[in-house]
Amino acid sequence: MSLSDIPVHALNEEIVALLGEMAVHTDEPEKPGVTRLLYGVSWLSAQAALAARMEEAGLAVRYDNVGNLYGRLSGKRDGEPTVLTGSHIDSVRYGGVFDGVYGIVAGIAALAYLRRTFGKPRRPLEVVSFCEEEGSRFPIAYWGSGNAAGIYDWRQAGSYKDEDGVSLEEAMQASGFGRSDGPECRLAPLAGFVELHIEQGLVLEHRNRRIGIVETIVGQRRYALSIEGAANHAGTTPMTLRQDALAGAAEIALKLESLASSWGEPLVATVGKIEARPNTPNVIPGFVEMTLDIRHSDEWSLSAFSDLVLSEIQRIADRRRLRLAVTPWLATKPVPMSGRLAAHIEAACAGMSLSYQRMVSGAGHDAQLMAPLCPTAMIFVPSRAGISHSPDEYTSPEQLAEGAAVLVSVLYDLAYKE
């Protein structure tokens, strides 16, 4: 199958229209970008809209017990393992319109095209809209694919709470999921999983490549830090007697930056969130909550650097007479993708005369949770200026359609030919 066989213009129009439709499902329509948090009102309406589009595409629709949404195209040999594609429906706060949802709408468009053109596949094809991946509302990420992969158990959702004190279990049940008699989350055997996604980085644009073929997804460590000092009067407390939690947090952030810079690429480390209390101009901050995010494509380096950072920030806390509590809430290992599926993507690009780049993904994706279950692959399309998790996130319609065309070709190989 070559690019000339696939109606790229039609895919272009369909994907752009679906992305525009999904962009209206946001928790704060008066604010820029998209905020679609797990089990919120806009999340629920977005899943319902996708379910309607799946039905229009001739797919059989079902939800599992955490709200993962599937559209199925039955195969001639329906007892065979399924070929799955898709991504996640949730967003970060004030994110872009492409992250996650592009892989879902392109999957719907791909299955609709294959059904219209070739009829029933040999083995079943499904597109999934995973309920959550970002960790933006609750201190847990990959809730959708994690339950599908058997890593999480929806029955243990109660311990996670959002910033308003609502538990994951309460939010899930309020949305109609997490029922004792609900449908199974764990996936049946899979023949393969292919996730199409925007790159969220600069590599493809910088090297003028149209398609990225992911070879490895980096491992991640995320920590929540609580730093307790002593709130006191800003005018009457001498500098030498202060226990300033925010000053300690600032030193920790700078130390993290310094250590990461000296460690070298491809390691990256970030303080993404800081909240100080009482957050008053004339009061020394007595309490700070902050996050650490550390990533590397090598497991030993990831572990060694994380251990180094934790020991260094404890020294800072001790020297400043601050009480430090560290809560690890995400630990994922680097995950290699399937070489066989990467070869399928490479062949599709060659057949369509699309330039491509083999690469590492610095961002985490649902694909890393699918990889232990079945052969797994990721296809990237460029992100303008490498911007993502922002209202300025952008990929051109032509690039979106090219990624979808590659996805069509790979799914055809896996479900119709193999």
Side-chain angles (χ1 to χ4, degrees), residues 83-297:
V83 177
L84 183 66
T85 189
S87 194
H88 61 96
I89 187 59
D90 68 312
S91 78
V92 298
R93 295 180 187 274
Y94 317 121
V97 302
F98 303 96
D99 182 3
V101 71
Y102 164 56
I104 302 167
V105 301
I108 295 172
L111 265 62
Y113 169 77
L114 289 168
R115 175 179 171 272
R116 289 192 307 266
T117 308
F118 303 104
K120 268 194 171 188
R122 287 189 177 186
R123 55 167 57 108
L125 269 169
E126 281 192 334
V127 56
V128 61
S129 174
F130 285 123
C131 66
E132 193 274 345
E133 183 256 15
E134 297 285 4
S136 297
R137 180 177 179 185
F138 298 96
I140 186 170
Y142 310 107
W143 181 244
S145 54
N147 273 275
I151 296 169
Y152 298 143
D153 184 345
W154 62 269
R155 298 169 188 84
Q156 299 172 349
S159 60
Y160 302 101
K161 293 186 178 182
D162 67 11
E163 60 188 19
D164 296 318
V166 178
S167 74
L168 178 52
E169 180 180 28
E170 290 167 341
M172 181 168 56
Q173 291 178 349
S175 296
F177 302 103
R179 305 188 310 271
S180 59
D181 61 345
E184 178 64 44
C185 294
R186 186 69 184 264
L187 287 165
L190 296 175
F193 176 70
V194 184
E195 184 172 7
L196 174 61
H197 208 282
I198 60 170
E199 180 195 350
Q200 303 178 282
L202 286 162
V203 173
L204 295 178
E205 184 177 82
H206 179 70
R207 297 184 180 175
N208 196 27
R209 299 291 191 269
R210 306 297 285 182
I211 297 293
I213 304 173
V214 176
E215 294 186 303
T216 303
I217 299 175
V218 297
Q220 296 185 46
R221 302 288 176 89
R222 295 188 197 177
Y223 303 92
L225 273 56
S226 296
I227 305 168
E228 186 176 359
N232 213 332
H233 197 292
T236 62
T237 308
M239 298 302 292
T240 55
L241 300 180
R242 296 183 178 212
Q243 293 172 271
D244 188 329
L246 183 56
E251 185 176 351
I252 287 170
L254 290 173
K255 188 65 174 179
L256 179 73
E257 180 186 48
S258 173
L259 289 172
S261 297
S262 63
W263 196 276
E265 295 183 353
L267 183 131
V268 293
T270 306
V271 171
K273 182 179 181 181
I274 295 182
E275 293 184 350
R277 295 201 292 271
N279 202 28
T280 301
N282 59 349
V283 178
I284 299 164
F287 188 79
V288 168
E289 291 180 323
M290 63 190 296
T291 61
L292 304 182
D293 181 311
I294 303 169
R295 309 185 188 205
H296 202 291
S297 58

Side-chain angles (χ1 to χ4, degrees), residues 4-29:
S4 60
D5 300 321
I6 302 172
V8 176
H9 178 70
L11 287 174
N12 181 329
E13 291 182 345
E14 185 173 359
I15 290 167
V16 169
L18 279 171
L19 286 171
E21 179 182 335
M22 297 309 299
V24 306
H25 299 279
T26 177
D27 294 336
E28 300 182 62

Side-chain angles (χ1 to χ4, degrees), residues 33 47 414:
Q47 287 289 64
L414 299 179

